[in-house]
């Protein structure tokens, strides 16, 4: 896979967003709770929250799974520092690193929970190889990620203005499945949709900035955008305003479940 994202920039963007993240992350919490609801087991000795962000799910994972150790792992040091200061969780290791090179021993983790993190990986086969390596026999990997139709309204509106890339690009269901099954042969994947509604477009763009997930792709446009182009972009987005008077923002979500046989 060619590198779509620049990891130092990803880490910096999410580190800057640590303080504002929880106040605007309604969608991220909803998807994470959807993922957590599919977790039917009630115990796991060693649990890893891969891409833990602000640590929102740390106390929930501890409450449900009662682990002897919880590993909160993230690429962004700023997120980890914020999580460490705001989430009072026992037996927790806060670990900064790259999911494509997890600094843990083979067969050392019982369950890996990862909600809306792996879409930022440059090389998903490397990630899946690492997941398979660190999971114990019978261990489980539960994850959510984003698909290419995410924020299609935003992408289409910008395409009416210019040819630059303004919206992050994510891989298809078929590509995700093909890359996952190279290392996670029995992975189960399903698709979901989430639609958020806004009165004004500024609410969406402010929210994306607040969670650190505004356009951080390689090849994105840099520099300021003129008022005329912003006006044209807003006008193009208006075509999506629904009968209820709201502007939609659609997220295509892929949910994955794998048990290490």
């Amino acid at each position: 896979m060619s590198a779509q994202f620049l990891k130092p920039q990803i880490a910096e963007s999410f580190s800057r967003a640590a303080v504002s993240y929880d106040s605007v992350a309604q969608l991220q919490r909803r998807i994470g709770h959807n993922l957590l609801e599919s977790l039917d087991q009630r115990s796991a000795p060693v649990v890893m929250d891969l891409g833990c962000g602000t640590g929102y799910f740390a106390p929930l994972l501890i409450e449900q799974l009662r682990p002897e150790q919880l590993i909160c792992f993230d690429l962004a040091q700023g997120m980890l520092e914020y999580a460490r200061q705001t989430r009072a969780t026992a037996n927790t290791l806060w670990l900064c690193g790259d999911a494509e090179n997890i600094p843990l021993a083979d067969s050392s983790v019982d369950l890996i929970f990862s909600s809306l993190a792996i879409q930022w990986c440059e090389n998903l086969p490397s990630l899946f190889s690492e997941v398979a390596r660190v999971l114990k026999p019978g261990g489980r990997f539960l994850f959510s990620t984003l698909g290419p139709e995410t924020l299609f309204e935003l992408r289409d509106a910008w395409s009416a203005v210019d040819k630059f890339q303004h919206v992050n690009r994510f891989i298809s269901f078929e590509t995700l499945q093909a890359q996952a099954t190279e290392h996670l042969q029995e992975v189960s994947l399903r698709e979901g949709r989430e639609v958020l509604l806004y009165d004004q477009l500024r609410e969406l763009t402010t929210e994306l900035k607040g969670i650190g997930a505004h356009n951080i792709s390689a090849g994105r446009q840099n520099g300021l955008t003129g008022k005329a182009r912003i006006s044209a972009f807003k006008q193009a987005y208006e075509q999506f305003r629904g009968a209820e008077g709201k502007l939609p923002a659609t997220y295509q979500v892929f949910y994955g479940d794998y048990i290490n046989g």
Side-chain angles (χ1 to χ4, degrees):
M1 181 191 302
S2 61
Q4 295 186 56
F5 303 111
L6 308 173
K7 287 190 179 180
Q9 188 166 18
I10 292 170
E12 180 184 354
S13 181
F14 281 104
S15 289
R16 286 198 309 266
V19 175
S20 61
Y21 188 94
D22 283 341
S23 66
V24 291
Q26 55 172 315
L27 174 79
Q28 288 70 24
R29 288 192 293 272
R30 185 189 309 171
I31 292 172
H33 277 284
N34 290 344
L35 192 62
L36 200 60
E37 286 174 6
S38 64
L39 183 57
D40 50 7
Q41 67 194 81
R42 287 292 174 259
S43 65
V46 180
V47 176
M48 182 181 191
D49 185 351
L50 190 155
C52 66
T54 62
Y56 173 84
F57 287 99
L60 300 179
L61 289 167
I62 287 177
E63 179 182 2
Q64 179 162 339
L65 297 169
R66 304 185 301 278
E68 297 170 11
Q69 182 173 60
L70 173 65
I71 303 167
C72 286
F73 184 89
D74 204 276
L75 181 66
Q77 185 66 48
M79 281 286 191
L80 280 173
E81 290 300 325
Y82 180 85
R84 192 201 306 263
Q85 294 169 14
T86 57
R87 310 294 180 194
T89 53
N91 304 322
T92 301
L93 171 65
W94 305 96
L95 190 59
C96 187
D98 187 340
E100 295 169 31
N101 187 21
I102 300 173
L104 296 176
D106 296 358
S107 303
S108 59
V109 180
D110 295 279
L111 184 137
I112 299 175
F113 174 91
S114 180
S115 187
L116 295 186
I118 70 170
Q119 66 268 17
W120 306 117
C121 289
E122 293 176 288
N123 191 320
L124 277 177
S126 292
L127 163 75
F128 293 134
S129 175
E130 283 291 270
V131 165
R133 180 184 66 80
V134 302
L135 276 180
K136 295 179 183 178
R140 190 174 183 184
F141 178 38
L142 203 61
F143 67 93
S144 63
T145 188
L146 297 176
E149 294 180 35
T150 294
L151 298 175
F152 75 86
E153 302 96 341
L154 196 65
R155 183 176 60 247
D156 289 357
W158 271 121
S159 69
V161 178
D162 59 38
K163 302 304 179 184
F164 292 108
Q165 181 183 336
H166 293 271
V167 181
N168 295 317
R169 296 171 180 166
F170 305 112
I171 64 173
S172 69
F173 186 93
E174 292 75 18
T175 300
L176 176 64
Q177 187 169 48
Q179 294 183 352
T181 53
E182 287 182 32
H183 302 282
L184 313 176
Q185 288 79 11
E186 299 299 322
V187 66
S188 173
L189 295 173
R190 63 182 176 87
E191 179 183 347
R193 296 282 174 129
E194 299 285 348
V195 180
L196 301 183
L197 300 175
Y198 302 89
D199 293 315
Q200 301 295 330
L201 185 54
R202 180 180 294 275
E203 297 170 32
L204 168 61
T205 56
T206 299
E207 186 174 288
L208 291 174
K209 184 176 181 180
I211 62 172
H214 52 295
N215 185 19
I216 50 180
S217 298
R220 71 201 183 286
Q221 185 190 3
N222 293 309
L224 298 176
T225 306
K227 290 183 179 179
R229 295 173 69 249
I230 291 292
S231 178
F233 162 60
K234 290 180 177 178
Q235 184 176 354
Y237 207 109
E238 282 295 322
Q239 68 178 306
F240 297 107
R241 193 178 289 276
E244 71 284 2
K246 301 285 188 178
L247 291 173
T250 300
Y251 289 80
Q252 183 183 31
V253 188
F254 301 144
Y255 295 93
D257 193 351
Y258 165 74
I259 297 178
N260 186 19

